[in-house]
Amino acid sequence: MLSEIVRPVRRVLQSLVACHTPTELAAGFTLGTIIGLLPKGNLIALSLCVLLFSLRVNKGLAVAAAVVFSCLATSIDPFVHKLGLIVLNAKPLQLNYACVFNLPFGPWLGFNNTVTSGVLLVGIYISYPVYYATRLVCEHVFLIQDPIVPNVGHRGDREQDIDFTTRTAA
Amino acid sequence: MSKLGHWQLWLPWLMFAAVMLLSVQYVLGLVTRSKVIDSGAAMFGGRVDVGHARVSIVDRHIALHDVCVADPRRPFNNLVEGDRCEFDVAAGPLLHKRTVIERGSVTGLRFATPRDESGTSSKSRSAVAAPSIQWWNDTTNQQPTEWLELLIRRFDPRLVNQFEAIKQTSALDDRVPREAAALDKRVRELARRAEELQSKVNRALANPLRNAEFLQAIAQEVPALQKEFADAAAEMERLPDSIDADRRAIVAARRNDEAWLRDQLQFPPLEAEALTAYLLQKQVTAPVDEVIDLLRVIRQIVPAKTAASSPAGQRGEDILFAGCERAPQLLVRKLVLAGMATIGSRRVELRGTLSDYAFPPALHDQPLRVKLTSLGSVPFELQATVDRLGATAHDELAIDCQGIVLPRTELGESEHLRLELAPSSGALSIRLKLDGDALSGEIELVQKQVQITPSIGRDLSTVPITAALDDALGNVDALATRITISGTLAQPRCRLTSDLGPVVAEGMDRALWRATELHVRRMMSNAERQVDQRFTELERQVAEIQAELRPQLAQAAGQVSDIAARRTPPQRITTERVGRRLPANSLFQ
């Protein structure tokens, strides 16, 4: 009876801690960083959230990163505002921007906001370095914790390795 | 069977979709309610309460129930209250993040209703305390009060003591008893002296030879005493003559007194404008403040300058791309309004429309218009235009109300003079314009079938003007009052003109003329009576004194005459005189 009651909680926790290979952790952290830095209340942020929960990435680390970077986001606002201002005021792109903006749901995207555009550009720019650095850190941590497993994280898929072993054994 | 199986397959999905739709609808209702409360508090500056909200996605329809907007200036009053608000929202603009209400209705509108809880909330804007209006020539309000106080002083019955006749009579009143007392004392002294002389003479005559020298001296003293008696008698007889002379002088002074009193009762003219201000200013200040407050509320709901396009707390700046047009975030094309209002102590049913409300208002090509008309016996029409299209904000407010029933009113500030207006019917017309901050307009009230009853305070009870004033005001049938408004919304200035001031001033002039004549007659007769009373008293006193002193004087004078008669000069004893005294047959004769 009790297990029935706590099952949803257990599933939420499982979904948060699932996908814990260094690659998935790094991908979750990267997505969470971008979501955290973005202003909320627009379709871009919402789409990234949907993407986060759709992909096989670590949701727990992503949510934690989103919370942490949400708190730090305002500190980089002056920079991303200037960047967004430059990009959005680029005259050759005005017609394209206007076309997108005038589409249904165009204003809901919020890309006409300088900070949103700036953060999106910065997010895209830093996504791979963040991903790479996070993966390295995760691999290093896993090596310290479990030095027996050879070449762990080289492909970055520890769970698959274990599953493969299990399946082979079976 | 395959159909049934097919049915069993899609029915759960359909039910799931329905449940999801209903859930979304419910959540949207909560979100809409929250949004209305927040944006309403930001718009009106006071707390906004919504009973519940219902959103229909299929019909694109929003219904709000039991909406109350608190008055930020009076936390325990609602600015407006509505039973049901329904809005038909256009779907297309929603995709472009704009809310357009094509049509809607607000029913069960009520204004200025009381509320149980305070209408202030943390999200409310602090309401600016509305400053009271300033009147042109504010000091003129005091002039009638000072004038009436002068009236009280000049009509004081104690002023009779300043009459020359009264003063002279008082002086005479002091002098005559003093003179009478002196005369009495003098007569008594003379009588005493006569008595003393009499006794001395009697003693001297018992032995004339021995008192020969004394008797010689008496011979000189008696005429002097007789002269003194004659003087005293003459003085006593002169007393009535002196009073008569004074009476003639007082009669002459009385004529001067009348002239002096008439001069005292010459009053400076009472300015009609000042009297209007004295009678009406206090009574009209609150209603005029309310009307100007209505403009302040309009300015609060639709500010003259829209704040920065970025809402508070938004990060960054929204860029408008070339080729895109700014459009209002919220546009209400037409709202049908229905409700009740209290106009001139009567409940009136109102119907009207609100059209072209936009936020920000400058982004819409039409000004906001509100029109409300009454149904029933009291014709009422309100039209408001709020134009933010130009560089200068332009607001107009026009109210026409015919057949408004005005309750019994008391006019006048102080206890000196009050006018009581019986309930009457009237026509109210308000035209106000607000260009930028410059306020202009007029408020006109025409009252018909007016009955004015003047009442005079206790201080003025000595001034007989009530009846005359009543006669003068009894002919007044209609009154027109006009308030011209200028200045700014923060510091409005008003000028008050009315028929009432000139009518009362004219009535007061006539009443005062009659009162002056009556007062002069009354004061003069009062003075005459006082003088006569005192003269009668003086004459009586003089007569008594004369009656008392005359016998004393006569008796004493008689004694002196007797002394004079008995007095025989002492003769030297000669042989011849002795011989003559001897008998004839005496040897020595």
Side-chain angles (χ1 to χ4, degrees):
Chain A
M1 180 67 183
L2 189 65
S3 66
E4 288 296 320
I5 293 170
V6 298
R7 183 180 288 170
V9 180
R10 199 171 60 234
R11 283 200 172 176
V12 169
L13 289 175
Q14 273 180 352
S15 71
L16 285 175
V17 298
C19 308
H20 53 277
T21 63
T23 329
E24 289 161 350
L25 285 166
F29 183 80
T30 308
L31 263 176
T33 304
I34 297 170
I35 291 168
L37 291 175
L38 268 173
K40 315 300 177 291
N42 54 60
L43 276 184
I44 293 174
L46 190 69
S47 307
L48 284 176
C49 286
V50 171
L51 193 69
L52 170 69
F53 285 98
S54 309
L55 293 177
R56 280 174 60 88
V57 294
N58 188 280
K59 276 84 176 177
L61 192 61
V63 170
V67 170
V68 170
F69 282 96
S70 287
C71 299
L72 303 174
T74 48
S75 58
I76 64 159
D77 273 1
F79 167 71
V80 291
H81 167 68
K82 281 177 188 169
L83 181 66
L85 208 59
I86 292 165
V87 173
L88 292 176
N89 282 331
K91 285 190 178 169
L93 296 172
Q94 288 295 304
L95 193 62
N96 301 319
Y97 289 148
C99 282
V100 176
F101 190 76
N102 285 329
L103 286 174
F105 293 107
W108 289 103
L109 287 172
F111 77 99
N112 60 326
N113 183 274
T114 51
V115 172
T116 307
S117 297
V119 167
L120 198 62
L121 289 172
V122 168
I124 291 167
Y125 185 75
I126 64 165
S127 59
Y128 186 73
V130 170
Y131 169 79
Y132 187 75
T134 314
R135 201 184 72 179
L136 283 180
V137 171
C138 290
E139 283 173 356
H140 184 68
V141 170
F142 284 142
L143 270 176
I144 293 167
Q145 283 181 347
D146 192 2
I148 302 164
V149 180
N151 297 328
V152 70
H154 220 22
R155 278 173 34 230
D157 205 341
R158 191 183 173 202
E159 195 183 352
Q160 274 186 1
D161 287 347
I162 293 165
D163 287 344
F164 179 74
T165 314
T166 313
R167 278 180 211 144
T168 311
Chain B
M1 188 66 189
S2 63
K3 277 185 181 177
L4 184 64
H6 187 63
W7 176 79
Q8 283 174 330
L9 192 67
W10 59 258
L11 185 62
W13 281 106
L14 188 68
M15 288 175 69
F16 176 74
V19 168
M20 284 303 292
L21 197 67
L22 287 172
S23 304
V24 168
Q25 200 160 301
Y26 177 72
V27 171
L28 274 176
L30 292 179
V31 170
T32 305
R33 181 173 176 271
S34 168
K35 187 76 181 168
V36 167
I37 287 171
D38 285 349
S39 56
M43 182 196 283
F44 292 103
R47 186 170 150 183
V48 175
D49 296 319
V50 178
H52 68 273
R54 186 174 164 272
V55 177
S56 169
I57 299 170
V58 179
D59 300 334
R60 303 187 307 277
H61 186 81
I62 299 172
L64 307 173
H65 296 264
D66 303 325
V67 180
C68 298
V69 180
D71 191 337
R73 295 152 303 163
R74 303 175 194 93
F76 285 92
N77 274 335
N78 284 321
L79 190 67
V80 65
E81 193 179 346
D83 286 342
R84 188 177 171 87
C85 309
E86 295 190 58
F87 309 112
D88 289 335
V89 183
L94 275 178
L95 300 177
H96 293 92
K97 213 179 179 180
R98 286 189 283 123
T99 308
V100 177
I101 296 169
E102 292 292 346
R103 65 171 61 82
S105 66
V106 181
T107 52
L109 267 179
R110 292 180 296 280
F111 302 93
T113 51
R115 55 183 292 137
D116 299 331
E117 294 176 347
S118 171
T120 51
S121 71
S122 56
K123 291 175 186 171
S124 304
R125 280 202 300 266
S126 60
V128 180
S132 184
I133 51 176
Q134 292 179 335
W135 295 95
W136 284 99
N137 300 327
D138 224 353
T139 51
T140 54
N141 190 14
Q142 292 302 316
Q143 193 193 338
T145 309
E146 289 165 7
W147 190 87
L148 288 167
E149 280 168 3
L150 181 68
L151 208 67
I152 292 165
R153 286 200 300 275
R154 297 281 175 87
F155 273 89
D156 192 342
R158 287 172 297 183
L159 215 62
V160 76
N161 294 330
Q162 292 184 29
F163 279 13
E164 198 58 38
I166 297 292
K167 282 180 184 173
Q168 285 185 13
T169 309
S170 296
L172 191 64
D173 213 12
D174 289 342
R175 184 168 57 83
V176 168
R178 204 170 54 243
E179 283 180 0
L183 188 63
D184 182 53
K185 189 180 173 186
R186 189 176 165 189
V187 168
R188 286 179 196 283
E189 178 63 25
L190 283 173
R192 189 189 60 77
R193 282 170 62 191
E195 190 70 31
E196 195 179 322
L197 193 63
Q198 176 77 46
S199 62
K200 281 182 182 176
V201 167
N202 286 344
R203 280 199 304 273
L205 283 177
N207 193 354
L209 289 177
R210 184 170 289 174
N211 297 306
E213 285 182 8
F214 172 73
L215 291 172
Q216 282 293 333
I218 287 293
Q220 292 171 356
E221 194 176 340
V222 166
L225 198 58
Q226 282 179 323
K227 188 175 181 302
E228 279 188 48
F229 269 104
D231 288 347
E235 192 179 335
M236 188 180 67
E237 295 305 328
R238 269 203 311 273
L239 265 179
D241 297 339
S242 157
I243 290 172
D244 276 344
D246 284 329
R247 185 196 291 272
R248 282 191 295 277
I250 284 168
V251 167
R254 201 182 290 163
R255 283 192 291 274
N256 291 338
D257 287 339
E258 187 174 341
W260 177 81
L261 184 61
R262 285 187 185 281
D263 189 47
Q264 286 291 307
L265 296 176
Q266 293 290 321
F267 294 98
L270 185 56
E271 285 181 25
E273 194 181 348
L275 197 56
T276 302
Y278 167 81
L279 291 169
L280 292 170
Q281 197 162 291
K282 193 177 176 185
Q283 273 70 22
V284 301
T285 298
V288 172
D289 257 341
E290 272 184 34
V291 171
I292 294 172
D293 250 9
L294 199 58
L295 281 178
R296 290 194 187 107
V297 169
I298 291 173
R299 272 289 161 97
Q300 196 171 9
I301 296 169
V302 188
K305 287 178 185 172
T306 310
S309 58
S310 302
Q314 181 184 317
R315 293 162 61 192
E317 185 184 321
D318 288 340
I319 302 293
L320 183 74
F321 302 119
C324 295
E325 285 186 2
R326 278 194 188 277
Q329 294 166 18
L330 172 66
L331 174 64
V332 180
R333 291 203 190 280
K334 190 174 181 183
L335 273 185
V336 177
L337 308 172
M340 302 288 286
T342 306
I343 298 167
S345 69
R346 269 194 194 178
R347 295 285 289 163
V348 178
E349 197 175 346
L350 294 177
R351 293 279 184 276
T353 54
L354 180 150
S355 56
D356 295 302
Y357 171 76
F359 181 82
L363 299 183
H364 187 50
D365 57 353
Q366 292 291 323
L368 164 66
R369 287 191 176 88
V370 180
K371 188 176 179 183
L372 282 172
T373 51
S374 68
L375 305 174
S377 59
V378 181
F380 171 85
E381 187 173 327
L382 178 148
Q383 286 191 16
T385 307
V386 181
D387 189 349
R388 299 286 179 272
L389 302 178
T392 309
H394 176 77
D395 298 340
E396 270 188 41
L397 179 68
I399 298 174
D400 285 302
C401 186
Q402 306 290 325
I404 185 173
V405 177
L406 299 161
R408 192 186 75 86
T409 317
E410 277 196 352
L411 306 177
E413 280 189 14
S414 70
E415 292 300 320
H416 301 322
L417 172 66
R418 276 187 174 274
L419 300 183
E420 188 182 308
L421 260 69
S424 60
S425 65
L428 177 70
S429 167
I430 299 172
R431 297 279 181 281
L432 287 180
K433 276 186 185 178
L434 188 58
D435 289 307
D437 272 343
L439 181 66
S440 62
E442 277 186 356
I443 299 174
E444 196 173 36
L445 176 68
V446 179
Q447 290 172 264
K448 290 173 183 171
Q449 299 163 348
V450 177
Q451 284 184 345
I452 308 173
T453 312
S455 63
I456 303 295
R458 198 184 301 165
D459 297 342
L460 268 174
S461 58
T462 54
V463 188
I465 55 172
T466 314
L469 200 57
D470 206 7
D471 287 349
L473 297 176
N475 300 325
V476 179
D477 186 52
L479 280 178
T481 305
R482 176 178 291 181
I483 299 156
T484 311
I485 299 170
S486 57
T488 63
L489 198 58
Q491 287 185 326
R493 291 181 68 80
C494 302
R495 182 186 288 276
L496 177 67
T497 50
S498 172
D499 294 350
L500 187 63
V503 165
V504 175
E506 194 184 331
M508 188 66 93
D509 273 351
R510 267 185 279 168
L512 206 55
W513 183 80
R514 287 191 214 172
T516 302
E517 290 300 316
L518 191 64
H519 186 67
V520 167
R521 278 205 302 275
R522 198 178 283 171
M523 289 283 275
M524 293 313 295
S525 72
N526 184 21
E528 193 176 345
R529 195 171 60 251
Q530 280 190 37
V531 168
D532 286 348
Q533 276 178 357
R534 288 187 187 183
F535 265 98
T536 309
E537 181 66 21
L538 284 175
E539 281 170 354
R540 190 184 59 75
Q541 284 179 10
V542 167
E544 280 178 3
I545 287 166
Q546 279 182 331
E548 187 185 338
L549 294 183
R550 200 172 275 148
Q552 290 180 20
L553 207 57
Q555 188 187 351
Q559 279 181 331
V560 174
S561 299
D562 188 42
I563 290 167
R566 285 172 60 193
R567 177 184 59 87
T568 50
Q571 293 175 353
R572 189 173 294 276
I573 301 171
T574 60
T575 52
E576 189 182 355
R577 289 185 68 186
V578 171
R580 275 205 298 272
R581 290 228 173 177
L582 286 171
N585 54 357
S586 175
L587 179 68
F588 297 103
Q589 187 171 17

